[in-house]
Amino acid sequence: MEDGTSKFPGHCGDTGDDYGVLQWDTREDCEVRQILDRVADKWSLLVIALLDRRSLRFTELRRQIDGVSQRMLTRTLRHLERDGLISRTVHPTVPPRVDYELTPMGATLHDTIRTLVTWTEEHQNEIAAARAAYDARALAEQEAAERESAARDALARDVLAGGR
Amino acid sequence: MEDGTSKFPGHCGDTGDDYGVLQWDTREDCEVRQILDRVADKWSLLVIALLDRRSLRFTELRRQIDGVSQRMLTRTLRHLERDGLISRTVHPTVPPRVDYELTPMGATLHDTIRTLVTWTEEHQNEIAAARAAYDARALAEQEAAERESAARDALARDVLAGGR
DNA sequence: CAGTATCCAAGCAGATACTG
DNA sequence: CAGTATCTGCTTGGATACTG
């Protein structure tokens, strides 16, 4: 068995001192932060997105999610099942068949996830541009530093040569 | 230097075969998937949420985000800056002062993130209940298996005892 | 088919020490 | 103050082999 979050940290969002929007940021081991980590997980997002279309079996999921190992897929599915976001139904046939599908709660999660995905799609060009600009700036700075260093070395050599 | 995503995978969302909502799931190294991983990062979420309130300096962020090391905070800030989600302004004073704030794009991201946080807050009880139910079920199954195994052992002992 | 179990490598992340 | 640099443990995750 591979454990799986044995600690129950307790709430931290109802302390009453709500000075704006969030209180979940200060405390570590906040339950909201834990759930967020689970939900914002790389594979979880993909699984939920895929299952929103229709229920899928293990191998179908595995094929559709490029790059996932069966270990990670299994883990992800167990976690989502434990959190009540997906349901797992085993058909006692030979060979065995297992179907995964979103629970109602999982479906509501997908709605909010989709806004995140949509945001990403809409801004991917802007982000790519920002990265390119950042990298270009960093490169320019680095080259400037190298030129300066080279100039300093040359100067030092000249001084030494003139001094002898 | 600590590198920082040197590969540019190129788009994968405009293939045209859009049979529903998503195409970004199949291919690994999809740009959307990468951005999503960055954006859905544990610390990124917290930083963006905090900076939405007001701009903050390095140490203020560090104090408000419980559990982050300065290494991770620095990395997160650099990544977000590179992606054009936050801006970094250095005030040439002594001691130095650096302010971080959301860019307009970062602010739009916070809007979508907030829906995710809200979802989490609204469902944390339901999720906790689902976990408890799952764990209880798993425990029950395990105990049942142990009882069965014990019964089998007892039967075997009886058979042996009767056979001599 | 749908996993579980095990081993092992790479990278993530914390602690510490040092710098402009 | 706001970092960078380095060392290192530990988790994450892939590959492989095996089971019901």
Side-chain angles (χ1 to χ4, degrees), chain A residues 37-54:
Chain A
D37 271 14
R38 169 82 20 101
V39 147
D41 173 69
K42 177 178 182 168
W43 304 123
S44 298
L45 288 174
L46 292 167
V47 167
I48 289 171
L50 283 170
L51 289 183
D52 183 66
R53 285 214 272 263
R54 60 183 183 85

Side-chain angles (χ1 to χ4, degrees), chain B residues 6-18:
Chain B
S6 50
K7 292 184 298 182
F8 261 66
H11 305 202
C12 67
D14 334 71
T15 42
D17 57 346
D18 183 3

Side-chain angles (χ1 to χ4, degrees), chain B residues 1 12 92 128 141-142:
Chain B
M1 186 72 74
C12 67
E141 276 171 26
Q142 183 188 324

Side-chain angles (χ1 to χ4, degrees), chain B residues 46-116:
Chain B
L46 292 167
V47 167
I48 290 170
L50 283 171
L51 289 183
D52 184 67
R53 284 215 272 263
R54 61 182 183 87
S55 77
L56 292 169
R57 343 181 17 177
F58 187 85
T59 320
E60 289 176 321
L61 279 167
R62 194 170 175 203
R63 260 196 300 271
Q64 297 209 35
I65 302 177
D66 184 44
V68 74
S69 65
Q70 97 280 46
R71 187 188 192 281
M72 282 304 109
L73 183 54
T74 304
R75 278 174 64 100
T76 303
L77 292 170
R78 289 291 169 283
H79 288 151
L80 292 176
E81 187 196 358
R82 187 168 106 103
D83 289 353
L85 296 167
I86 64 174
S87 67
R88 175 176 181 272
T89 50
V90 184
H91 300 88
T93 60
V94 170
R97 173 196 180 91
V98 179
D99 280 314
Y100 293 95
E101 62 181 335
L102 284 188
T103 62
M105 176 162 63
T108 70
L109 175 57
H110 179 253
D111 290 340
T112 85
I113 282 179
R114 187 157 45 199
T115 70
L116 188 62

Side-chain angles (χ1 to χ4, degrees), chain A residues 155-164:
Chain A
L155 177 62
R157 258 200 314 282
D158 288 353
V159 169
L160 286 171
R164 97 179 118 94

